[in-house]
Amino acid sequence: PYEAGDPATAEESEGSGEEESADPGGAAPHPRPWSGGGLLGAETFAAAAVLAVSGALVGPRLVQMLSSVTAQDQVSAVAGTIVGDAVVALVGVVLGLVGIGLADGASRPWTRWAAGASVLVGLLFAAVSIAAYLLVPAPAPAPVGPSM
């Protein structure tokens, strides 16, 4: 009903205190389908990275049970536990890197922080795991002779 040059609408828009959109084209940018949350959003990968790295740091019970059942001796069980925990930490690092890669302006502010912290802590844990694995002694040879 009103035209762009109508003085009645010009007075209302000047007196209302509302600012015009900063976007000169008038079109809002189209976010990527996975930005701003959702099942495959940056937030999901950041949260999964935090859970994977914290699982490696706090709860190695599953890896210990698996290595104790499958190992032939105690040294192999210890080495299997170390490798299993390092793999879980590296999964957290990969998830964190995916979360960082998917994060954009529509992502929540904590996404990059959580994913970045997971990457740093996961890499540190993996480096300590590698050092511990290198310190595991070689298995002792089996005794030769009759057993009593």
Side-chain angles (χ1 to χ4, degrees):
Y2 297 106
E3 294 185 24
D6 190 4
T9 58
E11 290 176 13
E12 289 177 7
S13 65
E14 289 175 3
S16 66
E18 295 179 17
E19 296 180 9
E20 291 186 24
S21 172
D23 187 12
H30 296 289
R32 295 182 288 193
W34 54 81
S35 64
L39 182 60
L40 296 177
E43 291 86 358
T44 303
F45 284 101
V50 169
L51 291 174
V53 171
S54 63
L57 293 173
V58 176
R61 300 293 176 237
L62 179 63
V63 175
Q64 285 177 347
M65 288 187 294
L66 181 64
S67 65
S68 67
V69 170
T70 59
Q72 296 176 2
D73 58 4
Q74 185 65 28
V75 173
S76 298
V78 170
T81 302
I82 292 170
V83 170
D85 287 342
V87 167
V88 173
L90 289 176
V91 166
V93 169
V94 169
L95 290 171
L97 289 173
V98 170
I100 289 171
L102 292 178
D104 60 4
S107 300
R108 291 180 177 87
W110 57 265
T111 304
R112 285 192 178 111
W113 180 89
S118 297
V119 169
L120 291 176
V121 172
L123 287 175
L124 179 65
F125 187 84
V128 170
S129 295
I130 291 170
Y133 182 79
L134 294 174
L135 294 174
V136 173
V144 180
S147 61
M148 296 203 181

